[in-house]
Every structure is written in C-alpha cells, then in structure tokens.
Amino acid sequence: MKTPKLDILFEDQRIIVVNKPAGMIVEENPFEKVNVQALVQEHLNKNTKRTKPPYLGVIHRLDRVTSGVILFAKKKSLLKEINEDFREQKVYKKYWALLSKPFENDKGEIKAYIRKDQKSKSSIVTDHKTRASKACGLKYNLLKNDRKMFMYEIEPGEGKFHQIRVLLSHAGSPILGDIKYGDKGFLKNKVALHAAEIEIKHRKLKYAAPLPLDEYWDNFR
C-alpha cells in the first residue's frame, strides 16, 4: 500500500490541522502502520532538531470511512483545554453528506436515542431512553442536488459514536455508500460523509477542509 501524502491545512506551535482521507484510521495501533497519527508524527519528527520525538496529542477522531478536518495538539496543555471544550459541547462541527434519497423538507432536525453495540461496532436507535442509550440529534440543510444525489449540510448536536450515520439512516436516508447503515456499499472503507468545518469560537479557532477528490463528489464542486 502506497503511503498517502499528508494534507496539512494549518500548523503553528500549538496545533496541527489535517484533512483526513476516507479509508484511513486516525490513531496508531499495532495492526495498521498507515494511519493519520503516524503520518503527523513522522512530519513532526522530520521538522525538529531534537532527539526526542515531539509531543503529539489526538484531540478528536473521525470514523475510518469518513474524510475531513481533524485536529492534533502539539502541546499537552492545549490537548487538555480542547478536550474540556468537547466535554462542554463548545466545539461546533459541520459535515457534508451525500444521500441518494432526499428528505421531504429541505431543512429539518432529527432527534432520537442511540446506544452503542459493542458486538457489531455500530450504534442502534432506541424508541425511548434506556440506561445504555443517550439522547442526540442533528440538523440538516439541503445545499445542492444533481437529481440523483443530494448534498446536505449536517450539524450534529453532540459527538456520539456513528451519530450522523445512524440518525440519517433511521430517518430513511442513509449516507451514500454506508453499507453498515442500510445503503449500498460501492467503495471499500469509504462513505460520502465529510467533516467540512470545525470551530471553537471562544478560542478563535476555525478550520475547513475542501471536498474530497473521490468521484462521487465530482458533481458538487
């Protein structure tokens, strides 16, 4: 497997922001040498004169099948601060998703309770709150369509496991290529979900990632 080029969107002394390709995991693990964290660490190692590898903290994650903007901390203090921002829901995120079936209204909101199923590594919608389920939601807004595919802007209210994917599927419109949640899979380890923007207003941090180069986004550039 050819190692992909690291797509750096922004970098300074405290943070590095990259555009993650779909199909790649974020964090290092013993089984997959090619991952975003390893690529970022390699980049930092090449650009330092110190013998000790520079610090790198994983601030948040994206699903393997999802592309888009992701943040890494170069300082432990920043990692701690932004982790707290996530816990306090002070982080705004915007996604783009392609659906083959549109919603009745161009704008709307989906709310439900979901729980994580460890065995299937998926999220499941429940009819009501249980000990294992959590309330969550998202807002959607139709941006463009080519009469075959429909591009929506998605704003998740929380950051639960597979939240966007399972809620869109539950509402009758799974993400294009998301075989786990009811659509037809046509690209290995990829779905048409892209983390387009992340913002932490009180820190004056805002970063965006352009549309992926995958062919299913071609009609929406």
Side-chain angles (χ1 to χ4, degrees):
M1 178 180 178
K2 184 179 179 181
T3 302
K5 183 179 179 182
L6 186 64
D7 185 3
I8 299 174
L9 300 171
F10 177 81
E11 182 178 7
D12 65 12
Q13 296 299 314
R14 302 186 73 208
I15 196 169
I16 181 167
V17 184
V18 303
N19 186 9
K20 182 185 103 62
M24 187 184 297
I25 60 169
V26 172
E27 291 184 286
E28 287 184 318
N29 71 68
F31 308 104
E32 298 183 63
K33 293 183 179 180
V34 180
N35 56 78
V36 183
Q37 184 180 0
L39 292 178
V40 176
Q41 188 69 66
E42 182 181 5
H43 164 76
L44 296 181
N45 293 346
K46 287 180 178 179
N47 290 278
T48 183
K49 296 180 180 179
R50 297 182 298 176
T51 55
K52 183 179 179 181
Y55 174 80
L56 179 65
V58 180
I59 294 176
H60 65 119
R61 297 153 188 82
L62 292 174
D63 295 342
R64 177 199 294 271
V65 295
T66 304
S67 60
V69 61
I70 191 163
L71 314 179
F72 291 88
K74 297 168 73 172
K75 302 287 184 181
K76 288 184 180 180
S77 57
L78 183 67
L79 176 65
K80 183 177 179 181
E81 291 169 7
I82 298 185
N83 281 343
E84 188 63 25
D85 291 335
F86 271 94
R87 280 191 290 270
E88 296 178 357
Q89 296 186 8
K90 294 180 179 178
V91 181
Y92 165 83
K93 290 177 286 183
K94 180 172 69 177
Y95 289 76
W96 292 326
L98 292 184
L99 312 180
S100 55
K101 180 182 177 182
F103 292 106
E104 182 177 350
N105 298 315
D106 289 351
K107 294 183 178 181
E109 188 171 6
I110 304 169
K111 292 184 178 181
Y113 295 98
I114 64 173
R115 65 175 177 86
K116 184 177 180 180
D117 183 75
Q118 296 289 355
K119 187 176 182 180
S120 64
K121 295 183 180 179
S122 63
S123 281
I124 297 173
V125 173
T126 61
D127 294 331
H128 56 276
K129 182 173 175 56
T130 67
R131 292 182 63 182
S133 65
K134 303 290 184 182
C136 63
L138 60 80
K139 295 179 181 179
Y140 61 84
N141 177 32
L142 180 64
L143 297 179
K144 303 177 183 178
N145 78 83
D146 65 357
R147 298 184 181 183
K148 293 182 179 179
M149 294 186 291
F150 302 81
M151 180 178 174
Y152 283 86
E153 179 180 285
I154 309 293
E155 297 179 24
E158 300 77 21
K160 305 301 181 186
F161 181 72
H162 289 184
Q163 177 175 334
I164 295 174
R165 297 167 64 188
V166 70
L167 289 181
L168 291 176
S169 176
H170 175 69
S173 293
I175 297 170
L176 197 68
D178 197 353
I179 191 170
K180 182 181 283 287
Y181 291 103
D183 197 68
K184 296 179 180 179
F186 59 95
L187 286 175
K188 186 177 180 181
N189 290 326
K190 295 181 180 182
V191 303
L193 179 64
H194 180 69
E197 186 177 297
I198 188 167
E199 181 178 10
I200 309 174
K201 291 183 179 180
H202 70 284
R203 297 190 186 280
K204 297 181 180 180
L205 299 178
K206 185 176 181 180
Y207 308 103
L211 279 174
L213 297 177
D214 293 316
E215 60 268 28
Y216 43 73
W217 292 100
D218 284 348
N219 291 344
F220 299 94
R221 300 190 191 287

